[in-house]
Amino acid sequence: MTEITFYHLTETALDAALPGLVEKSLARRWNAIVQVPDEGARDAVDQLLWSYEPVSFLPHGRDGDEPASDHPVFVTATDANPNDAAIRFLVRGAEAPADLSSHERVAVMFDGRDDEAVGQARGQWKALKAQGHDLAYWKQTPEGRWERAA
């Protein structure tokens, strides 16, 4: 089964945390999908990955960029896996696809300061646990580092 990790953002916003986790995935030689719920969120994440550092960026593709398989990082509002990604990041409220078998890991990132996002993450946890996935829960320390809590 696919390993599912939940990242509870309590100290930093998604825009500060996501690029670092994507970079770590690329360091492992994993292609990555960043899945968002809609085109507006896709455009925002697309812009983030190009501009999150003044002297750096994460090269990536997005829906409509072909061939998708040429992009080690791909931002999408769909449940497709066009770049054969080992890891899928679910952000800004994106729901997990029904079939996760093509991924080694799925990372659900949610804002702990948003009650709706916390409630959605709890629902995803229950649903994915019921499907038999191995789940892990990571929470930020006051310094912004990740600490496994479950």
Side-chain angles (χ1 to χ4, degrees):
M1 294 248 71
T2 302
E3 178 186 353
I4 313 291
T5 55
F6 282 74
Y7 288 94
H8 188 165
L9 297 158
T10 58
E11 304 301 321
T12 60
L14 175 74
D15 289 2
L18 177 64
L21 292 173
V22 172
E23 286 176 337
K24 287 181 180 182
S25 298
L26 293 175
R28 295 180 96 170
R29 299 195 181 277
W30 283 359
N31 281 359
I33 288 280
V34 179
Q35 182 184 335
V36 294
D38 56 49
E39 292 177 3
R42 182 202 58 212
D43 294 346
V45 170
D46 174 47
Q47 183 60 38
L48 166 68
L49 296 181
W50 284 123
S51 63
Y52 76 97
E53 290 267 337
V55 296
S56 181
F57 62 92
L58 277 166
H60 63 280
R62 56 177 257 172
D63 292 334
D65 292 342
E66 298 298 333
S69 60
D70 286 351
H71 302 282
V73 178
F74 198 79
V75 182
T76 184
T78 75
D79 61 2
N81 187 6
N83 67 342
D84 195 31
I87 185 166
R88 176 179 291 269
F89 292 91
L90 300 173
V91 301
R92 299 184 190 248
E95 291 288 336
D99 182 11
L100 299 173
S101 62
S102 66
H103 303 292
E104 290 186 43
R105 182 175 297 162
V106 171
V108 180
M109 300 182 74
F110 64 99
D111 185 347
R113 297 165 287 197
D114 179 335
D115 291 340
E116 185 176 327
V118 171
Q120 181 185 17
R122 285 183 180 139
Q124 286 182 314
W125 177 282
K126 289 176 186 174
L128 292 165
K129 183 77 168 171
Q131 292 172 18
H133 293 287
D134 293 327
L135 304 179
Y137 171 77
W138 294 78
K139 187 174 181 178
Q140 286 183 309
T141 66
E143 298 80 31
R145 297 189 183 273
W146 293 106
E147 176 178 82
R148 187 169 179 159

